[in-house]
Amino acid sequence: MRIIIEPSVADDSNAHQWLDRILHRVSDGWHVWDINDHVDFSAFENTTWIQERGTKGLEILEDFIKSSERDVWDTWHHKKKIIVTSSPKNENEFIPEDAAKMVNEPLIIIVENQINDGKFIRRIFKELAPYISELLSIGAVRIDSIGGIGQMRHLIQDLLSNNSSGYRLIAIADSDKKSASDPESNSAQGLRKFCEAENISCWILAKRAAENYLPSILIKQFKPNDQRHLTKIEVWEKLSDEQKDFYDMKNGLPHNRDDTIYPLFQDISDADYCILEEGFHRTKLHRCWELLDNVGIDEELRNRSCGDLDNGISMIRNEI
């Protein structure tokens, strides 16, 4: 987050311990000290936070100077801004104690499944948002789950009841849609409504599930010496973009073909349909996200997501 500290607060000895805690997290790389235009050097240099702290005050002053000289490029991804003040009037203003508690809480990203969806989110960060990947590695961002979309609300409620930072929670879930025009599943709609009521950001994936974002190169590498797997990929690659977006990658197409129930795939041959009845691998497909770690897949991810991944990253950035 971008943290603005008003000079009047830095002149209050009762606030010093809380400001120290805030600055500790800034030094850890979790947040940035935002030296805005109306905070000048002399105003901070003469505050008791600096003048009456001895060596500690000199360290604070050094951090202030570094923050004022920091290039915009170093801070552009921190979008959420809070103001540390003695008299909060707006929702982004906090007294020092509350601000210190807030900045010491990581941004918690709640997913359906830590193994499957957690690997997806981590690879997306690495390829498209390395700055979030870095925050994840130092603990400023945390991915959490409790097992299934139906349990996500319970986890959120537990975090809120324990006075965790509700304003720093984001929920991410599959849409489970069967086509672009199909509505989100009841579970996804329920999660979205719940999050809206709690003022929590919620990203329901535009595609059916996280697996539908997998680049072809990772799927091929999953079983490169398995001819049955490669044949399935050849058939999968013939699908339209919409069919790829809503094909059940884990479980495959329904057996006993009925195009009135699943019309999106009515134009494919019976032979191809039969091959796609079996999914790629229900229990191990998530391993694809860890393959070919040094191969750039960012372009294919962006092209296949049609803006959805960038929109989701933007939502997360709003909380960073």
Side-chain angles (χ1 to χ4, degrees):
M1 292 184 289
R2 305 174 73 95
I3 302 168
I4 297 174
I5 301 174
E6 292 188 344
S8 59
V9 175
D11 226 7
D12 179 3
S13 59
N14 293 322
H16 293 172
Q17 62 170 318
W18 306 115
L19 298 183
D20 288 347
R21 295 187 188 186
I22 292 171
L23 202 57
H24 177 70
R25 281 306 183 195
V26 171
S27 299
D28 284 346
W30 281 35
H31 312 285
V32 295
W33 191 357
D34 190 346
I35 307 301
N36 55 20
D37 294 337
H38 69 269
V39 178
D40 59 69
F41 178 82
S42 59
F44 249 94
E45 184 183 26
N46 293 315
T47 61
T48 56
W49 190 30
I50 292 174
Q51 292 296 324
E52 298 180 1
R53 305 296 298 288
T55 302
K56 181 68 176 177
L58 294 177
E59 293 174 355
I60 296 169
L61 184 60
E62 183 179 353
D63 285 335
F64 181 87
I65 296 172
K66 288 180 180 178
S67 296
S68 66
E69 295 174 346
R70 183 183 290 116
D71 192 278
V72 174
W73 176 255
D74 295 330
T75 61
W76 73 273
H77 54 269
H78 288 272
K79 194 167 183 181
K80 191 176 184 71
K81 181 181 293 187
I82 68 168
I83 300 173
V84 186
T85 177
S86 57
S87 302
K89 296 182 176 64
N90 300 306
E91 62 178 12
N92 68 328
E93 297 180 346
F94 301 88
I95 61 172
E97 181 176 359
D98 290 343
K101 292 177 180 179
M102 181 178 181
V103 302
N104 274 279
E105 289 283 349
L107 168 61
I108 302 175
I109 299 175
I110 301 172
V111 296
E112 295 184 50
N113 183 286
Q114 180 74 260
I115 296 176
N116 299 333
D117 304 306
K119 293 183 187 302
F120 159 65
I121 294 298
R122 285 181 171 85
R123 188 62 183 266
I124 295 305
F125 287 164
K126 183 171 184 177
E127 299 292 341
L128 305 182
Y131 54 89
I132 302 181
S133 187
E134 174 62 24
L135 292 174
L136 187 66
S137 70
I138 63 176
V141 175
R142 190 176 88 212
I143 299 175
D144 205 350
S145 70
I146 198 173
I149 190 170
Q151 299 297 315
M152 291 176 71
R153 283 188 284 182
H154 298 300
L155 176 56
I156 293 172
Q157 287 172 331
D158 286 343
L159 290 169
L160 295 176
S161 65
N162 290 328
N163 296 319
S164 186
S165 46
Y167 36 75
R168 298 265 289 160
L169 297 177
I170 292 178
I172 302 176
D174 296 337
S175 71
D176 291 322
K177 295 169 61 173
K178 295 180 175 62
S179 70
S181 59
D182 197 46
E184 297 169 351
S185 69
N186 290 336
S187 295
Q189 292 182 50
L191 178 65
R192 185 191 294 278
K193 291 179 181 178
F194 170 78
C195 288
E196 288 175 351
E198 296 290 346
N199 196 30
I200 294 171
S201 297
C202 181
W203 176 18
I204 304 297
L205 300 180
K207 298 178 187 288
R208 182 187 182 105
E211 296 78 28
N212 295 91
Y213 295 80
L214 275 167
S216 59
I217 187 173
L218 298 187
I219 301 176
K220 291 176 181 177
Q221 189 64 27
F222 182 44
K223 294 181 179 180
N225 301 313
D226 186 328
Q227 187 55 51
R228 186 178 179 181
H229 177 72
L230 296 177
T231 299
K232 193 181 303 178
I233 289 176
E234 290 177 3
V235 176
W236 173 79
E237 287 186 322
K238 293 191 293 183
L239 298 176
S240 68
D241 285 342
E242 184 181 5
Q243 288 170 333
K244 288 178 181 176
D245 289 348
F246 299 99
Y247 170 63
D248 191 335
M249 297 287 288
K250 289 182 177 179
N251 300 305
L253 294 173
H255 296 278
N256 302 319
R257 179 174 185 172
D258 186 343
D259 291 337
T260 62
I261 297 177
Y262 216 165
L264 181 60
F265 296 89
Q266 61 186 352
D267 66 340
I268 70 174
S269 69
D270 287 340
D272 286 350
Y273 189 99
C274 183
I275 291 173
L276 292 176
E277 278 184 338
E278 180 187 7
F280 282 96
H281 203 302
R282 176 174 176 79
T283 61
K284 297 182 180 179
L285 191 60
H286 61 271
R287 294 180 180 176
C288 291
W289 291 113
E290 298 178 308
L291 299 174
L292 301 177
D293 193 39
N294 296 320
V295 175
I297 59 172
D298 54 326
E299 184 174 355
E300 186 176 354
L301 282 170
R302 281 201 164 95
N303 290 342
R304 288 275 291 113
S305 78
C306 297
D308 187 41
L309 295 180
D310 285 324
N311 290 336
I313 289 171
S314 179
M315 180 185 296
I316 294 169
R317 184 186 162 211
N318 286 338
E319 296 296 334
I320 291 178

